[in-house]
Amino acid sequence: MEENFRDSIGTITKEGKRAWIFPKKPSGRFYDYRKYVSYTLLIFLVVAPFVKINGHQFQMFNVLDRRFNIFGLPFWPQDFHLVVVSMIIGVVFIALFTVAYGRIFCGWMCPQTIFLEMVFRRIEYWIDGDRGAQMRLAKAPWNREKIMKRTLKWTVFFIISFVIANIFLAYLIGSDKLIRYITDGPAAHIATMVPLLIFTGVFYFIFAWFREQVCIIACPYGRLQGVLLDNKSIVVAYDHKRGEAENGRKKFRKNEDREALGFGDCIDCFQCVNVCPTGIDIRNGTQLECVNCTACIDECDHIMDSIDRPRGLIRYASEDEITKKAKFRFTPRMKGYTAVLTVLIGILIGMLFLRNELEANILRLPGQLYERKENNIISNVYTYKLMNKTTKDIEEVSFKLMSHKGEIKMVSQDRFTVPAEQLIGGTLFIEINSSALTGDKDKLKIGIYSGDELIETTVTQFLAPRSYN
């Protein structure tokens, strides 16, 4: 195997300029499987923000209003710890999958790969043709054919980028609001239209020009791969033992006994290089540019079929499997990741079960001290905020002291309704006889009731004169 791939990446020339990649159109069983997976995920991506469960958008990530819907379950700022745990679980899961199966996420499930390979490149093949036609068109002068093809391709790319930007906007602000904005027209919502066009430009830049550079340069996961992979990880690998044999590679000749001559099965056709969307030679081993898209597997299998050699010269395999014929096994490192993942999932499930439908916060009014009243009564003023996380109104809400004998006096009505998915607030006074206090800063436990049913408890601090300790 050659080692020169370690000196530079495949998309940069010796002069440091961009080397444009013209990958051959892939075909084969793995490519077909990837299409099924990709189009299923694309359908999910497009449909998810427009599907509702119990009145909640199936998927929404409204960062501005700090509202999140995940699989139809609403999460509020008070639930941010759940979102953090979910993100950690996702990172550990991807790490575990990388340790076991390399960058399979990049090649099969990453939105960047799916959009680029299954949408934009397929349109490019339809308009510009396959690898050879694209290379000839790139070198051709700006004649009528080139101008028409470039105009058509760039226009289609821009339209798709605009659609993608709108779909992502539906995730951010909600599908109902997006549909209302579209119905009202762009002139009525310039403040939204401008960032929408900016994101359209970003998507267009990524998929029309930057392309595989995202995976090679911008994405941190490519760097993470080098830390997580080892000789036992299953990756898209070239079987150099079989491909090189004793005397290396050799061009194919009919009726030649390659085994007797000591040559491997690799016929040096470069089809695995031509079909690679990141421009690498997989025969040089695992490289940071490789996204495990399996295009080289399909192409090599096709070549092996045509020369009557067994498939699998390039396949999913570990380095140990190729060099030592070792079978895949669950390593201690994988077991460690699995244990951590299991614990985190258990914690998340427990948090979800313990998650309250009503979030209550009662805090002393800043800058206000206690007030002395008749009969040794000490009064503190508080503000309260109640967050209803459900899709139903919570009626007949009231407060009761649970830890001390005392009285809660509402500034407005004693019983009220917390509307569905709404945050309400108000002011209340807590009055306690000094004889019931144990210090100058007692902790109070307050129950929030819906009718006679206790639905939540919260704790706050009561300030009293030090002389009452």
Side-chain angles (χ1 to χ4, degrees):
M1 295 189 294
E2 298 179 4
E3 297 294 331
N4 58 1
F5 72 96
R6 299 186 185 279
D7 298 329
S8 63
I9 59 177
T11 54
I12 302 296
T13 64
K14 293 180 179 179
E15 293 77 23
K17 298 180 180 179
R18 169 78 179 273
W20 194 265
I21 303 297
F22 297 98
K24 181 182 176 181
K25 184 178 180 180
S27 62
R29 59 193 177 103
F30 280 110
Y31 186 66
D32 290 339
Y33 296 151
R34 284 178 59 216
K35 284 194 290 187
Y36 300 146
V37 173
S38 297
Y39 293 133
T40 300
L41 292 175
L42 281 174
I43 292 171
F44 176 83
L45 178 72
V46 173
V47 172
F50 300 96
V51 173
K52 292 188 176 181
I53 297 178
N54 296 326
H56 293 121
Q57 189 169 307
F58 189 66
Q59 296 282 348
M60 183 175 72
F61 305 95
N62 191 335
V63 180
L64 298 177
D65 294 335
R66 296 181 295 173
R67 290 185 58 184
F68 304 89
N69 292 343
I70 302 175
F71 300 117
L73 296 175
F75 293 90
W76 303 87
Q78 295 84 353
D79 299 316
F80 187 70
H81 59 287
L82 297 175
V83 178
V84 171
V85 173
S86 300
M87 293 176 65
I88 294 173
I89 288 174
V91 171
V92 175
F93 181 79
I94 291 177
L96 172 61
F97 240 64
T98 304
V99 170
Y101 300 108
R103 291 179 72 175
I104 191 171
F105 172 83
C106 296
W108 290 76
M109 291 171 283
C110 177
Q112 163 70 18
T113 303
I114 290 174
F115 276 118
L116 179 59
E117 299 300 326
M118 298 299 174
V119 179
F120 287 89
R121 281 209 200 275
R122 287 178 67 84
I123 292 171
E124 194 167 57
Y125 291 133
W126 171 59
I127 295 173
D128 291 349
D130 209 339
R131 170 181 164 83
Q134 290 182 24
M135 295 175 72
R136 288 192 295 272
L137 187 66
K139 295 177 181 178
W142 284 91
N143 52 28
R144 182 174 178 273
E145 178 189 6
K146 185 170 182 176
I147 292 173
M148 288 182 62
K149 286 187 175 182
R150 286 290 186 265
T151 302
L152 175 61
K153 183 174 73 172
W154 292 340
T155 302
V156 173
F157 280 7
F158 183 83
I159 292 172
I160 295 175
S161 299
F162 184 72
V163 171
I164 295 172
N166 275 272
I167 292 171
F168 275 87
L169 186 63
Y171 280 95
L172 292 176
I173 67 173
S175 56
D176 291 340
K177 189 178 288 187
L178 174 65
I179 292 172
R180 188 173 74 249
Y181 284 3
I182 294 173
T183 305
D184 294 344
H189 303 281
I190 296 296
T192 303
M193 191 64 186
V194 171
L196 180 65
L197 290 175
I198 292 174
F199 277 104
T200 299
V202 170
F203 287 127
Y204 179 82
F205 168 76
I206 289 174
F207 295 117
W209 190 83
F210 204 50
R211 297 192 162 192
E212 70 283 341
Q213 300 289 81
V214 172
C215 306
I216 299 172
I217 298 174
C219 181
Y221 186 47
R223 312 289 85 74
L224 186 65
Q225 163 190 242
V227 178
L228 294 174
L229 292 182
D230 57 27
N231 290 341
K232 298 174 180 61
S233 302
I234 303 294
V235 295
V236 173
Y238 166 67
D239 190 342
H240 56 89
K241 291 286 187 179
R242 174 185 154 191
E244 310 291 321
E246 295 179 4
N247 296 326
R249 312 161 190 164
K250 186 179 184 296
K251 294 292 185 181
F252 176 72
R253 290 184 181 179
K254 279 188 175 182
N255 303 320
E256 183 180 57
D257 191 345
R258 299 177 67 88
E259 292 183 8
L261 295 173
F263 293 107
D265 283 352
C266 180
I267 61 173
D268 218 14
C269 62
F270 280 91
Q271 293 306 303
C272 59
V273 180
N274 294 337
V275 80
C276 179
T278 59
I280 65 168
D281 188 341
I282 192 63
R283 297 173 297 178
N284 288 329
T286 301
Q287 297 151 68
L288 66 87
E289 298 96 329
C290 181
V291 294
N292 285 20
C293 69
T294 69
C296 55
I297 296 179
D298 284 331
E299 197 63 26
C300 188
D301 283 349
H302 174 71
I303 296 297
M304 291 297 105
D305 289 343
S306 64
I307 64 172
D308 198 26
R309 299 298 298 166
R311 291 184 170 191
L313 181 59
I314 301 175
R315 64 183 186 273
Y316 275 119
S318 67
E319 182 64 22
D320 281 358
E321 180 185 342
I322 292 173
T323 57
K324 303 176 183 178
K325 304 297 181 183
K327 292 183 178 180
F328 175 78
R329 64 184 183 87
F330 220 56
T331 64
R333 188 153 68 119
M334 295 178 197
K335 292 176 182 177
Y337 281 118
T338 304
V340 172
L341 187 63
T342 303
V343 170
L344 288 172
I345 292 175
I347 292 173
L348 179 62
I349 293 173
M351 286 180 170
L352 289 173
F353 275 110
L354 295 174
R355 179 174 178 257
N356 297 319
E357 295 182 345
L358 183 76
E359 186 83 20
N361 285 299
I362 301 177
L363 300 172
R364 290 188 65 259
L365 191 66
Q368 295 291 322
L369 295 175
Y370 54 85
E371 180 183 357
R372 299 173 185 264
K373 290 191 172 184
E374 295 180 353
N375 301 321
N376 293 325
I377 297 296
I378 307 299
S379 176
N380 281 202
V381 60
Y382 294 84
T383 59
Y384 67 87
K385 289 185 179 180
L386 301 179
M387 178 70 224
N388 183 357
K389 302 176 183 177
T390 69
T391 56
K392 297 179 181 179
D393 294 347
I394 300 178
E395 301 177 342
E396 294 292 311
V397 176
S398 61
F399 299 95
K400 293 181 182 178
L401 270 174
M402 301 179 70
S403 59
H404 293 68
K405 288 183 179 181
E407 187 178 0
I408 296 179
K409 293 183 177 181
M410 306 295 294
V411 171
S412 55
Q413 68 271 28
D414 291 336
R415 291 177 179 267
F416 52 94
T417 298
V418 183
E421 299 184 348
Q422 294 295 322
L423 174 69
I424 67 166
T427 307
L428 58 84
F429 290 89
I430 299 179
E431 297 180 353
I432 301 176
N433 193 289
S434 59
S435 62
L437 300 172
T438 59
D440 59 339
K441 293 180 181 179
D442 279 30
K443 284 188 177 180
L444 305 183
K445 185 178 181 182
I446 301 172
I448 297 92
Y449 289 79
S450 176
D452 295 327
E453 180 187 358
L454 178 64
I455 57 175
E456 175 64 305
T457 60
T458 188
V459 176
T460 190
Q461 197 173 68
F462 189 86
L463 191 63
R466 187 175 296 276
S467 59
Y468 287 108
N469 286 346

